[in-house]
Amino acid sequence: MPLPPPPVRPDPAHQPSERELREDLACAYRLLAHFGMTDLVYTHLSVRVPGEGHRFLVNPYGLLFEEITASSLVVVDAEGEPVQQTRWPVNPAGFVIHSAVHRAVPRAQCVMHTHTLAGMTVAAQRNEYPGGLLPLNQMNMELHGRVAIHEYEGVAAEDNLGERERIVRDLGDRTCLILRNHGLLTIGRTVAEAFYWMYYLEQSCRIQVAAQASGVPLAMPAPEVVERVRGQSGDSPVKGWLPWQALKRKMDREQPDYRE
């Protein structure tokens, strides 16, 4: 197989079209299915649609993530109600968390939410480390100071809309949120960035659960080492763009119909 051309670093000022966002979000759905980060037909990934007002792309309710295509994504308003014709229903109650973050956090162009075994396991734990992640590995340490916790208030639904404000308050200036007794959430200025944080938040949870299950004492690095690794990880308005290009090439080879 010939090598692909070297990827071109994206322009942070580029405003993607709705079509570009549809393809990126559909690709992200397929990737979550590929990496085993799904919960049947539940949970959402969403991205803000260009233009005035609060409009977002989200999955039709009832499709598996592996079935999502660019054209099947539905445009909804801030309440999760469709603003386009669709043969499939959407789940407004499930969009409560997304709408809260999208509307209140300008950098949350994309919001991803998962219910994974490792994520829900860590979400059920209490420890002395901020954000609930133990600094057991470079992946976990990159997330140091980037993870917040929101305490469980029941199923996020329209009968408790006051929770929206508390979710936004708890997220603060972080990029990742552990929803206690529930799951994981990440945000990004792009689909690529939100996926980057979700992938490594999930991997960090898997590392933590596996290390704890080993039954041997855990090696905790010194706080100054954790801070140094966190600083070395850096930040960028195009965070995650390089692996994202590689992952899209993978989906183009293996599941090209995501673009349909």
Side-chain angles (χ1 to χ4, degrees):
M1 179 184 298
L3 288 175
V8 177
R9 184 179 179 87
D11 179 0
H14 173 65
Q15 297 296 317
S17 66
E18 181 176 325
R19 183 63 199 179
E20 290 176 288
L21 291 171
R22 282 181 175 273
E23 291 185 2
D24 274 2
L25 194 63
C27 185
Y29 274 107
R30 296 295 185 95
L31 286 167
L32 257 65
H34 173 77
F35 288 115
M37 297 163 64
T38 64
D39 176 16
L40 299 179
V41 300
Y42 304 105
T43 74
H44 296 302
L45 318 180
S46 58
V47 68
R48 184 184 302 277
V49 175
E52 297 181 0
H54 295 288
R55 298 184 306 134
F56 312 95
L57 288 168
V58 71
N59 53 314
Y61 191 36
L63 290 182
L64 295 170
F65 282 15
E66 66 198 49
E67 298 175 306
I68 300 294
T69 63
S71 61
S72 71
L73 294 166
V74 181
V75 180
V76 299
D77 62 19
E79 306 305 321
E81 296 292 343
V83 294
Q84 69 169 77
Q85 288 189 339
T86 175
R87 295 185 297 113
W88 285 82
V90 295
N91 183 8
F95 194 67
V96 167
I97 293 173
H98 291 248
S99 64
V101 177
H102 274 304
R103 291 197 295 185
V105 184
R107 60 197 169 87
Q109 295 295 310
C110 181
V111 178
M112 299 189 177
H113 172 45
T114 62
H115 299 159
T116 64
L117 179 59
M120 291 189 293
T121 300
V122 172
Q125 299 177 349
R126 292 192 184 276
N127 59 58
E128 71 275 19
Y129 282 87
L133 281 181
L134 304 177
L136 300 172
N137 182 274
Q138 287 186 159
M139 294 179 186
N140 306 57
M141 285 182 259
E142 180 178 7
L143 291 167
H144 177 71
R146 299 185 191 270
V147 185
I149 293 179
H150 172 70
E151 294 295 334
Y152 190 60
E153 297 187 28
V155 176
E158 294 169 310
D159 63 351
N160 184 20
L161 293 182
E163 186 179 10
R164 289 177 170 181
E165 296 179 3
R166 292 183 288 277
I167 289 172
V168 171
R169 175 201 66 198
D170 292 339
L171 177 64
D173 62 355
R174 312 298 174 88
T175 54
C176 305
L177 186 65
I178 292 178
L179 301 161
R180 182 78 74 198
N181 308 114
H182 186 174
L184 307 177
L185 181 141
T186 62
I187 66 172
R189 290 156 288 193
T190 63
V191 175
E193 183 183 19
F195 182 86
Y196 179 91
W197 292 125
M198 180 56 76
Y199 179 84
Y200 284 110
L201 180 59
E202 170 69 16
Q203 292 301 307
S204 296
C205 289
R206 293 183 186 187
I207 290 167
Q208 181 162 319
V209 172
Q212 291 169 324
S214 71
V216 300
L218 302 180
M220 297 290 185
E224 60 270 22
V225 173
V226 177
E227 291 290 345
R228 183 164 68 250
V229 173
R230 165 65 173 82
Q232 290 172 329
S233 67
D235 198 1
S236 165
V238 291
K239 185 77 171 181
W241 72 274
L242 192 57
W244 181 249
Q245 300 308 311
L247 289 167
K248 287 183 71 175
R249 292 195 302 270
K250 178 179 179 64
M251 288 296 102
D252 284 336
R253 290 191 302 269
E254 299 178 4
Q255 301 181 39
D257 62 312
Y258 80 87
R259 293 185 182 271
E260 294 176 1

